[in-house]
Amino acid sequence: TLHSLLGYVPQKGILFSGSIASNLKFGGEQITDADMKKAAAIAQATEFIDAKPEGYDSPIAQGGSNVSGGQKQRLCIARALTAEPEVLLLDEPCSALDVKASSVIEETLLGLKERYTIVIVTHNIAQARRIADDAAFFSEGRLVEYGKAETLFTAPEKEETRSFLTGVCG
């Protein structure tokens, strides 16, 4: 099914009250501790989890209010990875993060590119330039241009794309 092929990370990462482990295993009863720890390592969440006195049993407050924005996003990425999807879909993965946390998420995504197809929806053109292999420019719900990211960002074919990238419109 499509659900089993897709791991989704929403713009505003959502964590549930419980433990880190219960959040990471939220995808299903079949997820083992080994699966959970592997996903946390891939999402670069292991270091801050291991630094907590209770590790994976550490409590998470409702909405994840007791972890930083970057930690919350990495936990959401890890949760999406526990199902071992083929495609990872991220909606504005760094929109609520500071520069340092955004940098860690981008580094995480760059590491994931070899293993997963990653689709990022973003308005952050600089971020897209740094991490995309291919890029698509949409305007008002329609595809304007698609191609290799380097070409799209440096020599777009469509005037509408050029205008957006240069800040003339949008």
Side-chain angles (χ1 to χ4, degrees):
T1 66
L2 179 61
H3 178 71
S4 65
L5 299 175
L6 184 69
Y8 175 64
V9 180
Q11 180 175 355
K12 183 177 167 126
I14 299 168
L15 296 177
F16 310 105
S17 57
S19 66
I20 289 174
S22 68
N23 271 274
L24 296 183
K25 290 182 173 185
F26 186 75
E29 296 174 13
Q30 76 285 0
I31 298 169
T32 66
D33 285 350
D35 295 333
M36 171 188 69
K37 289 178 180 180
K38 177 182 172 187
I42 293 169
Q44 297 188 19
T46 305
E47 185 177 332
F48 79 82
I49 293 170
D50 289 345
K52 292 185 173 293
E54 297 175 68
Y56 286 87
D57 293 324
S58 297
I60 293 291
Q62 182 64 36
S65 61
N66 61 332
V67 294
S68 74
Q71 292 170 340
K72 184 186 297 186
Q73 202 67 343
R74 282 179 277 162
L75 289 173
C76 289
I77 291 170
R79 180 173 55 212
L81 294 175
T82 58
E84 297 188 8
E86 291 182 27
V87 178
L88 190 59
L89 173 61
L90 298 104
D91 182 9
E92 296 283 359
C94 300
S95 65
L97 304 180
D98 62 29
V99 173
K100 185 176 180 182
S102 292
S103 177
V104 172
I105 296 299
E106 286 182 24
E107 182 181 318
T108 300
L109 295 175
L110 286 169
L112 294 173
K113 283 172 46 171
E114 299 300 318
R115 197 176 314 192
Y116 301 95
T117 297
I118 300 175
V119 178
I120 300 174
V121 176
T122 186
H123 290 91
N124 185 334
I125 302 305
Q127 179 183 67
R129 283 182 185 205
R130 287 189 296 271
I131 62 178
D133 294 327
D134 297 291
F137 173 62
F138 288 84
S139 179
E140 299 178 4
R142 64 185 169 74
L143 176 64
V144 175
E145 189 167 350
Y146 170 81
K148 290 293 177 193
E150 184 176 337
T151 303
L152 189 123
F153 291 124
T154 59
E157 292 180 12
K158 307 283 182 161
E159 180 58 36
E160 189 173 1
T161 307
R162 264 191 302 283
S163 293
F164 180 79
L165 292 173
T166 58
V168 173
C169 70

